[in-house]
Amino acid sequence: MQQQLQQLQQQQQPAGGGAQATVTFSTTPGTSNQANIIDYGTRYGMALYDMGTKPLFDSEEDKFDLDNDESLNFEKAVERRARAMGWYHAQQGILTFTVDGESLDLVTDYGRIDIGEIKTQSEPIYLATGALKNQRAAQNNDMMHTMLLDSLTKAAKARVQVFKDEYEFGDGGTPEVKVIVAAALYKIIMRLTIIALEALLDKNLKLTKDLQQKLKQKGDKDGQKEDGGGKATKTKNKKNIANKTRQKEDEAWKKVAPKDNEPKSKQIGKKTWNWCMHHQAWCIHKSSDCKLGKKQQESKPRWPTAQSPNSKQATTRQHKSILPTQLCLRKLLLSLNDGSDPHGS
């Protein structure tokens, strides 16, 4: 684009034998003769306008969406465009403001310049009777605000336009015309970016506080458990085990058996205690009712008795099993007496 502008500039110079115009050095086409009005009726003037209004980002996806992560890139891109187009010119510039006697650059010092200062100091540009209303400064203002709006995403542009009363001012003419002041528009864009950042910081701060609160509550609960303040765990022995020594003394008498001449029952408090021969201890139940004794009785082998109905059959089976053994022993004794072979015929 800059090469095309330089070629167009050369075409504007007198041809052939005419007097050669004086060339003013500049690093960009936009800073060449930057105090002069741009003639939009020429190809050079139209090319310069296209250069100034071109969006900072080529694709819709790359456009600025008021995200703080990309705010620095946006700020630097605006500054590069402004310097290339001569928007910082001493007389025709639109981005330098004086606050409390100090000259400030709006692009980088937007936080120190309020909307009221921008509106007041931009009056020569947008008022119908302003000294710069029909000068290069007004052209610069128009190019910059077009570039800014076209460099925003659709969503960001919609958010910005809500505050158009803060960057669109009446020119005081008849009829009155609203003029977008590029400096005020840039201020609103960066203000919304800061607001979005503050909202994000507030959200993160709230999340941090919530997390700290939960960690504190968890720590308090863990501390209560360590101090015994938590829910008591169940144990198999439900007796009071706080004083084990006293418990052992309390239960020691239960193992002391009564002597032969002593009773097998005794009253202690409201309970009657009986000596259980199976548990070998003083218990509430009697030996005759002891479940352990019944189990022991059931586990003992039952030998048939004379009174048993099956005693005859059991005796017969027993005799049959003993008989072969007795015969073998008798045969062995006889063989030892006569010296014969016990395994012989």
Side-chain angles (χ1 to χ4, degrees):
M1 177 68 74
Q2 292 185 4
Q3 185 177 3
Q4 293 176 353
L5 285 169
Q6 289 172 351
Q7 292 175 354
L8 290 171
Q9 269 187 314
Q10 293 174 1
Q11 293 175 8
Q12 301 294 322
Q13 296 176 0
Q20 185 175 2
T22 301
V23 177
T24 303
F25 173 79
S26 64
T27 56
T28 65
T31 56
S32 175
N33 299 318
Q34 55 188 311
N36 299 332
I37 299 173
I38 302 172
D39 185 359
Y40 288 144
T42 64
R43 292 175 59 189
Y44 171 73
M46 289 300 299
L48 197 61
Y49 179 82
D50 291 341
M51 180 180 175
T53 58
K54 181 182 178 181
L56 297 172
F57 311 102
D58 295 331
S59 65
E60 181 69 23
E61 294 179 354
D62 294 332
K63 290 183 178 181
F64 188 50
D65 62 352
L66 308 182
D67 184 0
N68 185 69
D69 291 342
E70 297 297 329
S71 62
L72 183 59
N73 292 335
F74 178 74
E75 178 183 317
K76 293 300 181 184
V78 171
E79 184 180 12
R80 287 193 298 270
R81 178 65 60 84
R83 295 196 182 281
M85 294 302 300
W87 297 342
Y88 282 105
H89 189 265
Q91 287 76 40
Q92 301 296 326
I94 57 174
L95 295 173
T96 303
F97 294 84
T98 302
V99 178
D100 297 331
E102 183 180 0
S103 180
L104 300 177
D105 174 7
L106 176 71
V107 176
T108 57
D109 296 325
Y110 55 85
R112 301 174 61 187
I113 310 170
D114 60 35
I115 290 292
E117 289 287 355
I118 295 174
K119 180 180 180 180
T120 300
Q121 297 186 37
S122 298
E123 286 180 351
I125 298 174
Y126 70 84
L127 286 180
T129 57
L132 301 175
K133 176 64 176 179
N134 298 317
Q135 298 295 319
R136 177 70 173 265
Q139 292 176 317
N140 292 339
N141 178 74
D142 185 76
M143 285 188 287
M144 182 176 176
H145 81 65
T146 301
M147 176 272 295
L148 288 174
L149 289 175
D150 289 347
S151 298
L152 300 177
T153 62
K154 292 181 181 179
K157 190 182 298 184
R159 290 177 59 190
V160 168
Q161 288 176 343
V162 173
F163 302 91
K164 66 179 181 178
D165 289 341
E166 296 187 60
Y167 62 80
E168 241 182 49
F169 308 126
D171 65 356
T174 305
E176 188 173 61
V177 177
K178 291 284 188 179
V179 179
I180 296 178
V181 176
L185 174 61
Y186 179 80
K187 169 73 176 182
I188 296 300
I189 291 173
M190 300 311 292
R191 187 178 73 185
L192 291 176
T193 302
I194 296 300
I195 291 174
L197 173 61
E198 291 175 347
L200 179 62
L201 291 176
D202 289 343
K203 181 179 180 181
N204 290 338
L205 181 61
K206 184 179 183 302
L207 291 174
T208 301
K209 289 182 178 179
D210 291 345
L211 178 59
Q212 290 176 342
Q213 184 66 22
K214 289 181 180 179
L215 290 175
K216 183 178 182 302
Q217 291 175 353
K218 184 178 185 302
D220 293 343
K221 290 181 180 179
D222 291 343
Q224 290 176 359
K225 290 181 179 179
E226 292 177 0
D227 296 338
K231 186 178 180 180
T233 55
K234 294 182 179 181
T235 57
K236 292 183 179 179
N237 187 0
K238 295 183 180 180
K239 299 175 183 177
N240 182 13
I241 60 174
N243 193 335
K244 293 184 178 181
T245 302
R246 182 177 178 182
Q247 181 182 355
K248 289 180 179 179
E249 292 176 354
D250 181 60
E251 295 182 352
W253 66 270
K254 294 180 182 179
K255 302 298 182 181
V256 179
K259 295 180 180 180
D260 294 339
N261 58 348
E262 292 180 346
K264 301 299 187 291
S265 296
K266 57 183 176 180
Q267 188 78 21
I268 298 179
K270 296 182 179 180
K271 295 181 180 180
T272 301
W273 295 85
N274 302 286
W275 177 256
C276 179
M277 58 181 295
H278 306 292
H279 282 92
Q280 290 295 300
W282 290 96
C283 303
I284 299 299
H285 63 266
K286 296 180 179 179
S287 296
S288 58
D289 299 328
C290 181
K291 294 181 180 179
L292 177 62
K294 292 180 179 180
K295 288 182 179 179
Q296 291 176 348
Q297 188 66 27
E298 291 174 355
S299 63
K300 289 182 179 180
R302 295 185 179 181
W303 298 100
T305 60
Q307 290 79 15
S308 173
N310 298 324
S311 60
K312 186 175 181 180
Q313 295 179 2
T315 304
T316 303
R317 286 196 299 271
Q318 185 178 6
H319 287 172
K320 286 183 179 179
S321 62
I322 295 175
L323 183 59
T325 304
Q326 291 176 341
L327 292 175
C328 290
L329 289 173
R330 187 176 297 175
K331 186 176 182 180
L332 178 60
L333 290 173
L334 291 174
S335 64
L336 289 174
N337 291 333
D338 60 12
S340 61
D341 183 2
H343 298 287
S345 56

